[in-house]
Amino acid sequence: MVSGGRAFHLPLPAGLSGYQLAWLSRDFSAGLAVAAVGLPSAIAYPAIAGLPPETGIYASIAPLIAYAFFGPSRNLIVGPDAATTTVLAATLAAVMANVPAGVNATEVAEVLALGVGVLCLVAWAFRLGVLANFLSRPILTGFFIGISFSILVGQIGRFTGVRIESEGLLRPLLELIGKAGSIHGPTLALAGGMFLLLQIVRITRFPVPGPILVVLLSVVLSALFDFEGRGIAIVGDIPSGLPALTLPRIADLPLQTLALGAAAIFLVSYGAGIITARSFAARAGTSVDPNRELIGFGAANFSAGLFGAFPVTASDSRTAVNLSVGGRSQLVSLVAAATLIATLLFLGPALRIIPIPALGAILASTALGMIDLGAMRQVWRVSKVEFVFAVIAMWGPIGLGVLNGVVIAIGATLVYLLRKQMFPRDALLGRIPGHDGFYKLHHTPEARPVPGLAVCLVQGSLLFFNIDYVGQRLRSIADGLPPDTRWLLVDASAIAQIDSSATEMLREVSLELRDRGIRFGLAELHSDARELLRRAGVIDVIGAGMIFEILEDAYQAFEAER
C-alpha cells in the first residue's frame, strides 16, 4: 500500500511472510489434505483421555490458527498427539480423583492446556529452549514405546465391547480373559477388519491414508447396516456449533497436581514437538529455533485451553502430509482449520455414526507406528549404556503407569547426565619430536612424555559430585610418575566449569604434591574458573607463576628451568 509517496507493508507472521500468489493452489490443496488426515485422529485421540470427540476437533482448529500467527515455522502443523494425549489421560485420572462433583474432565483438560501454554512462555522468557534436548532421543524412543503399549492395552474395550476396569499392562488382559464370554462378536470383527485394512494400506503404500479410508468406510457401513442398532458403539452426537471463548474455572481444583501434570505434559509434548520440527526442517532444508518454537507452542496451547480443547504439540502425520502435497506457508493451517470448521458445522450427522471400534483400530495402529524397534537397535549399536536408559524409560509407563513413567524418564535422564559428568576422562600428553604442541600419548604413538614434566588433560567440568574421582585420578597419576618428575600440569582447556568444592580439591592436591617435591600447575583456564580460583585463594597456594594462559607457555617456562 502507498500513501503520500511512502510504501507501507502490513506486518505478517513468520509463517506467512513473503507470501507469493503462486503458492496459493499448493497451500489450498495441502490445507484440505491436512484436514482430511487430521480428522480421524482428531476424533480418535480424545478417547485416550476419556474426553468427548469434539474436543479433538476443537484441538485441531484454534491451535492451528494460533500457531499460524505466532509460530516461526512455515511448514509445521500442530494438533493432537498420541503421546501427549496419553500423558494427559494419566494427569486427568490423578486430578479427577481429587475434585468435587460437578467438575468435568474437559474443564480440567482446558486448564492443563493453559498451564502448558504458561510453561512455554516462561521457558521462552528464560531462554530455556534447551529443554528440548532434556529428554534425549533414545530416552524418548523408549518412553514412546512404553506409551504405545499403554495405548494398545487401552483399546481392548473398544475392540471387544467389554468394559475393562483394570489398569496396567497385564491386569486388563487377565480381566478380558475372565470376561471372554461378554466379547461382542460384531465389534471385534469390525475392529479387527479395520485394523487389518490400516496395516495393508501402510504396507502397500496406498496413496490414500489409512485413517481416512477407515473413517469413510466405517461411516458407510454404519449407515447401511445400522451398527448402533446391532450393539456396536458409535461416537454419538457431536455439537454442531463452534466452541465459545471461555476461561475455565480453577476453583476447587488441586493446583499442585495440576501444576505437576502440566509440567509433565509440557516436557513430553515439547520434547516430541521439537524432534518433529527438526526432522521435517531437515527435509525442507530449514532450521529450527527451539526458543521461538516455544512462542508458537505456547500460543497453540493457550488457544486450546480457551476454546474447549486439550494440550497439543507438533503433529508428525499432518506435517508430513503438508510437505508431501507441497504446502509453502502457514496458510495451510488456516485452510485446514476452516475445513474442519465446515465439517463440524455441516457434517455432524455423518460424524455421529462413526463406530467406536474403528477409532480403536486407528489408535492401535498409531500405537504400533510409535514402536520404533529400528531406532532401539540403532541405540544398541551405538551405545549400550544409552540403550539401558532407553529400556528404563520404556519400562516406566508399562510398569508404573504413564505419569510415573514421565518421572522415570526424567530420572533416567538425570542419572545418565550425572553418570557422564561423574567420571570425566583424562589423558596424559606428550610431544612429537620436531613438532609444536602436545598430543595424547595413548592416541599418538610418536608422542613422547617430556622428561620431568607430566601434562594431564582433564575432559570435563570439576563439580562437587566428581571431585573425589578427579582428585583420586590426579593422585594416582602422580604415584605413577618417574622419580625425576618436577612438574604436574593440568590442561584445563576442556574444563568448562569449576565450583567451590573443586577449588578445595585443587588446593589439597597442590599441597600434597608440594610435599612430594612436585610443582602443580594449571594451563588454559577459562576466565570464570580463574576468577573463582583467585577468590578462593587457590592461585596463591599454587603460585601465580604456575598458572599459564596456554600450554605452550607452560612448556617454555619448564624448559627455562632446566
Side-chain angles (χ1 to χ4, degrees):
M1 181 176 8
V2 178
S3 176
R6 296 177 61 188
F8 294 92
H9 300 279
L10 291 174
L12 291 175
L16 295 169
S17 63
Y19 197 84
Q20 301 176 24
L21 288 179
W23 299 349
L24 188 59
S25 61
R26 287 281 183 95
D27 281 354
F28 191 79
S29 299
L32 294 177
V34 166
V37 170
L39 182 61
S41 59
I43 298 173
Y45 285 171
I48 297 175
L51 296 172
E54 64 268 18
T55 59
I57 302 177
Y58 299 160
S60 303
I61 295 176
L64 265 70
I65 297 171
Y67 186 88
F69 284 96
F70 293 97
S73 172
R74 288 182 178 275
N75 305 113
L76 199 66
I77 306 296
V78 299
D81 168 74
T84 300
T85 309
T86 306
V87 180
L88 168 67
T91 304
L92 283 176
V95 174
M96 295 304 293
N98 298 283
V99 298
V103 177
N104 63 59
T106 300
E107 288 181 312
V108 177
E110 293 170 5
V111 173
L112 288 167
L114 293 176
V116 173
V118 169
L119 290 174
C120 285
L121 295 189
V122 169
W124 167 77
F126 287 95
R127 300 190 60 80
L128 296 179
V130 69
L131 287 172
N133 301 319
F134 184 74
L135 294 179
S136 68
R137 188 179 290 266
I139 285 179
L140 273 176
T141 298
F143 180 75
F144 287 160
I145 291 176
I147 288 285
S148 300
F149 281 109
S150 298
I151 295 174
L152 285 171
V153 171
Q155 304 320 304
I156 292 176
R158 298 184 182 95
F159 266 64
T160 63
V162 177
R163 181 178 178 83
I164 301 295
E165 299 178 354
S166 302
E167 297 181 354
L169 185 63
L170 295 179
R171 287 194 298 272
L173 296 174
L174 295 175
E175 182 180 348
L176 177 64
I177 293 173
K179 297 179 177 178
S182 301
I183 293 176
H184 189 244
T187 294
L188 181 60
L190 177 62
M194 293 301 170
F195 181 79
L196 180 61
L197 174 61
L198 287 166
Q199 304 317 304
I200 293 173
V201 169
R202 178 182 61 83
I203 293 172
T204 60
R205 301 181 183 276
F206 194 71
V208 179
I212 295 178
L213 286 179
V214 164
V215 168
L216 291 176
L217 180 59
S218 65
V219 166
V220 172
L221 293 176
S222 183
L224 291 176
F225 297 103
D226 186 22
F227 281 171
E228 185 178 12
R230 296 175 183 272
I232 298 176
I234 62 172
V235 168
D237 293 333
I238 293 178
S240 59
L242 296 177
L245 174 63
T246 58
L247 189 64
R249 298 175 301 165
I250 62 173
D252 300 323
L253 295 181
L255 296 182
Q256 182 176 0
T257 306
L258 281 171
L260 292 175
I265 296 170
F266 162 72
L267 194 58
V268 172
S269 65
Y270 181 55
I274 288 297
I275 286 180
T276 298
R278 284 174 171 163
S279 298
F280 287 104
R283 297 187 197 180
T286 59
S287 59
V288 172
D289 183 343
N291 280 304
R292 291 187 64 196
E293 287 294 350
L294 281 165
I295 300 176
F297 289 166
N301 279 284
F302 268 121
S303 65
L306 294 174
F307 286 95
F310 50 81
V312 297
T313 185
S315 169
D316 52 0
S317 60
R318 302 181 195 203
T319 305
V321 168
N322 180 26
L323 288 178
S324 66
V325 177
R328 301 297 299 271
S329 76
Q330 281 298 326
L331 183 61
V332 173
S333 292
L334 300 179
V335 172
T339 303
L340 290 172
I341 289 173
T343 301
L344 195 62
L345 294 177
F346 304 113
L347 296 180
L351 299 178
R352 180 190 180 280
I353 62 173
I354 295 175
I356 295 296
L359 299 183
I362 292 174
L363 290 173
S365 181
T366 299
L368 280 182
M370 292 168 60
I371 300 177
D372 194 345
L373 297 181
M376 290 293 281
R377 286 194 296 268
Q378 176 68 10
V379 174
W380 171 260
R381 286 194 297 266
V382 173
S383 172
K384 303 298 188 292
V385 173
E386 289 189 81
F387 179 82
V388 170
F389 283 101
V391 171
I392 292 172
M394 178 180 67
W395 168 80
I398 296 174
L400 298 175
V402 174
L403 206 54
N404 289 329
V406 176
V407 177
I408 294 295
I410 294 172
T413 299
L414 291 174
V415 171
Y416 175 70
L417 291 174
L418 283 174
R419 186 188 179 279
K420 296 284 284 185
Q421 295 294 324
M422 284 180 69
F423 307 104
R425 295 186 177 186
D426 56 72
L428 290 174
L429 308 181
R431 295 177 71 86
I432 298 177
H435 292 76
D436 293 333
F438 282 81
Y439 303 84
K440 294 178 181 178
L441 294 176
H442 67 285
H443 273 181
T444 312
E446 316 90 80
R448 298 289 182 269
V450 177
L453 171 64
V455 180
C456 175
L457 171 66
V458 177
Q459 297 173 284
S461 296
L462 302 184
L463 302 171
F464 65 94
F465 52 78
N466 66 14
I467 55 170
D468 287 343
Y469 171 78
V470 176
Q472 190 56 44
R473 282 294 302 147
L474 292 175
R475 294 180 180 95
S476 177
I477 289 170
D479 290 341
L481 294 176
D484 63 343
T485 301
R486 294 183 288 117
W487 283 22
L488 172 57
L489 282 175
V490 170
D491 179 351
S493 57
I495 300 176
Q497 298 179 67
I498 292 178
D499 66 7
S500 58
S501 299
T503 64
E504 189 59 30
M505 180 272 291
L506 292 173
R507 182 200 309 272
E508 293 173 0
V509 169
S510 177
L511 292 174
E512 290 175 20
L513 292 178
R514 180 186 301 172
D515 293 340
R516 297 166 60 173
I518 299 175
R519 299 181 67 185
F520 179 72
L522 296 164
E524 304 202 17
L525 273 170
H526 293 276
S527 58
D528 290 345
R530 181 194 290 265
E531 177 60 21
L532 184 63
L533 292 176
R534 185 193 64 77
R535 292 199 303 269
V538 176
I539 290 181
D540 294 334
V541 173
I542 295 175
M546 292 298 292
I547 306 295
F548 302 95
E549 288 290 338
I550 59 175
L551 194 54
E552 194 66 26
D553 288 347
Y555 172 70
Q556 296 299 332
F558 175 78
E559 288 294 310
E561 282 193 3
R562 283 182 182 273

